């Protein structure tokens, strides 16, 4: 078959994409479900099982949070998973299966041991294309990199109305990890001299120790309430709808699905300043993403609450439409397949072939 015919076939045939998550469950990240729904008829979506990964037939492996493949619920299960991951790495190497990796974070939330890190490095070395959610995420050289924004949640969750808002209500929601700064938020709120303000904490702490620390920090302030567990979609929509301001005081932030969710439901967000949060602030329009530098203080909370009370309209979500995001992913998959049949580097220019031919796929507004 000629190179032109191979290229035409790769550009038109339906492709099988094995996603690295196990399927559609009640606690599956809605980002992943909306992504697979957006891929259209050109893609056969396959959900992860070790049997499919090691024995099945697929054209592309799409990785999200690959460290999850190396971790089990016990020492024995972790050991077995890592042996399976070694076999998977050997299989994709032997079959030259394209691997596409979405960079949700700069690093894993919880550091792994040396064996896990070695396995993830081996998988990184075999990654054909990298998808980043913002233009600031660094990716390895010699491979294709494409920027595809995080899609909105507007069609996934019930839309609250302005009448649902409890005046003065501040909300933190999401899985509670130490780096997310919930204790910093509780401390700043405790010093806020405003009896009409309230703080709501909604989400499951990562550990019992963290849950106890949050409970202890909240003692004595009747304005603070919490629901420290995983929330169903309708419950989470109600919590966000009741808030006047969502505060995400992360000590380290790069991408935030929680911020996108709050904005999708028409609630403004307060976050630490950084290149990605300032970029998000510019894209969403004036007032929707407020940022702060340094420690979170009661003055920052007071100013953000006052601004939120005056905010009208809706944030600009036009660049976060799933149709364009799905199309961009399909292009990334096809480019990854093509790149497995091309030389890795253009020796005349020194430019990686895949990076030169694919580039940044910025999803147009309104798609």
């Amino acid at each position: 078959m000629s190179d032109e015919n191979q290229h035409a076939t790769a550009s038109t045939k339906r492709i099988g994409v094995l996603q690295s998550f196990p399927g559609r469950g009640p606690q599956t990240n809605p980002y992943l479900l909306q992504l697979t729904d957006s891929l259209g008829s050109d893609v056969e979506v396959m959900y992860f099982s070790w049997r499919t990964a090691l024995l099945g037939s697929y054209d592309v492996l799409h990785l999200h949070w690959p460290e999850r493949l190396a971790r089990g619920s016990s020492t024995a299960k972790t050991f077995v998973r890592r042996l399976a991951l070694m076999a998977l790495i050997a299989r994709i190497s032997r079959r030259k299966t394209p691997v596409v990796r979405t960079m949700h974070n700069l690093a894993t939330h919880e550091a792994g041991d040396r064996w896990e890190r070695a396995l993830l490095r081996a998988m990184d070395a075999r990654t054909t294309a990298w998808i980043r959610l913002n233009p600031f995420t660094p990716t390895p050289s010699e491979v294709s990199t494409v920027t595809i924004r995080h899609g909105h949640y507007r069609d996934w969750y019930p839309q609250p109305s302005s009448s649902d808002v409890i005046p003065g209500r501040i909300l933190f929601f999401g899985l509670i990890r130490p780096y997310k700064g919930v204790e910093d938020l509780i401390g700043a709120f405790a010093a806020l001299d405003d009896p009409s303000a309230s703080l709501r904490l909604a989400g499951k702490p990562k550990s019992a120790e963290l849950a106890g620390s949050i409970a202890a920090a909240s003692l004595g302030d009747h304005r603070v309430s919490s629901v420290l567990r995983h929330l169903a979609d309708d419950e989470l929509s109600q919590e966000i709808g009741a808030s006047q301001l969502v505060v995400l005081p992360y000590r380290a932030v790069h991408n935030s699905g929680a911020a996108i969710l709050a904005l999708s439901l028409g609630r403004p967000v307060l976050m630490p300043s950084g290149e990605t949060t300032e970029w998000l602030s510019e894209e969403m329009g004036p007032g929707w993403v407020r940022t702060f530098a340094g420690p979170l203080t009661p003055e920052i909370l007071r100013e953000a609450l006052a601004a939120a009370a005056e905010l009208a309209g809706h944030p600009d979500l036009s660049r976060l439409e799933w149709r364009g995001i799905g199309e961009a992913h399909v292009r990334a998959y096809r480019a990854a397949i093509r790149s497995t049949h091309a030389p890795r580097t253009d020796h005349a220019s020194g430019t990686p072939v895949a990076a030169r031919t694919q580039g940044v796929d910025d999803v147009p507004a309104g798609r």
Side-chain angles (χ1 to χ4, degrees), residues 54-92:
L54 296 175
L55 301 174
S57 176
Y58 46 92
D59 300 299
V60 176
L61 172 63
H62 188 173
L63 293 176
H64 307 269
W65 301 285
E67 65 274 11
R68 296 179 181 178
L69 297 180
R71 298 176 182 178
S73 58
S74 67
T75 300
K77 289 181 179 179
T78 294
F79 181 78
V80 171
R81 275 177 171 255
R82 292 180 181 181
L83 293 179
L85 184 54
M86 291 173 66
L88 175 58
I89 292 169
R91 185 180 198 234
I92 63 175

Side-chain angles (χ1 to χ4, degrees), residues 79-333:
F79 181 78
V80 171
R81 275 177 171 255
R82 292 180 181 181
L83 293 179
L85 184 54
M86 291 173 66
L88 175 58
I89 292 169
R91 185 180 198 234
I92 63 175
S93 300
R94 183 177 66 254
R95 296 169 63 91
K96 295 183 170 56
T97 302
V99 178
V100 175
R101 161 88 180 274
T102 295
M103 293 286 288
H104 294 276
N105 309 104
L106 292 176
T108 59
H109 291 307
E110 291 84 23
D113 59 21
R114 291 178 61 186
W115 188 10
E116 178 184 300
R117 294 195 299 272
L119 288 171
L120 296 182
R121 284 196 301 270
M123 185 64 83
D124 285 352
R126 290 157 180 80
T127 297
T128 315
W130 301 79
I131 294 173
R132 57 187 181 185
L133 304 178
N134 67 68
F136 306 103
T137 304
T139 59
S141 59
E142 300 295 323
V143 293
S144 161
T145 296
V146 57
T147 300
I148 307 176
R149 287 171 170 81
H150 190 304
H152 63 67
Y153 295 99
R154 189 171 51 199
D155 303 323
W156 190 266
Y157 290 88
Q159 287 290 319
S161 69
S162 58
S163 63
D164 297 329
V165 173
I166 298 173
R169 168 66 63 89
I170 294 171
L171 172 69
F172 172 92
F173 70 90
L175 180 62
I176 302 176
R177 286 184 159 105
Y179 82 89
K180 291 189 175 182
V182 175
E183 292 155 299
D184 300 337
L185 172 58
I186 295 171
F189 181 80
L192 178 63
D193 186 16
D194 182 352
S196 67
S198 61
L199 174 61
R200 181 73 163 169
L201 308 173
K204 183 178 180 180
K206 185 65 176 174
S207 67
E209 180 183 4
L210 184 57
S213 176
I214 291 169
S218 306
L219 282 176
D221 193 338
H222 69 277
R223 301 174 302 166
V224 180
S225 62
S226 62
V227 51
L228 300 182
R229 58 174 174 80
H230 174 79
L231 274 68
D233 290 349
D234 58 342
E235 293 179 294
L236 185 54
S237 177
Q238 291 171 12
E239 294 286 353
I240 296 172
S243 68
Q244 190 156 64
L245 174 70
V246 171
V247 179
L248 304 172
Y250 302 165
R251 295 165 187 163
V253 59
H254 189 66
N255 294 306
S256 175
I260 299 298
L261 173 51
L263 294 163
S264 298
L265 300 187
R267 297 300 181 261
V269 178
L270 175 66
M271 304 180 72
S273 179
E275 59 185 1
T276 57
T277 54
E278 298 296 345
W279 175 71
L280 182 64
S281 178
E282 291 178 8
E283 294 221 323
M284 293 297 104
W288 286 100
V289 179
R290 291 177 65 91
T291 61
F292 65 93
L296 182 62
T297 66
E299 290 74 22
I300 291 171
L301 291 177
R302 181 180 293 108
E303 292 173 4
L305 267 176
E310 300 297 323
L311 195 60
H314 301 279
D316 181 3
L317 302 176
S318 60
R319 296 178 181 86
L320 310 186
E321 293 292 346
W322 279 103
R323 178 184 173 189
I325 289 168
E327 291 170 351
H329 275 82
V330 175
R331 290 193 292 272
Y333 297 150

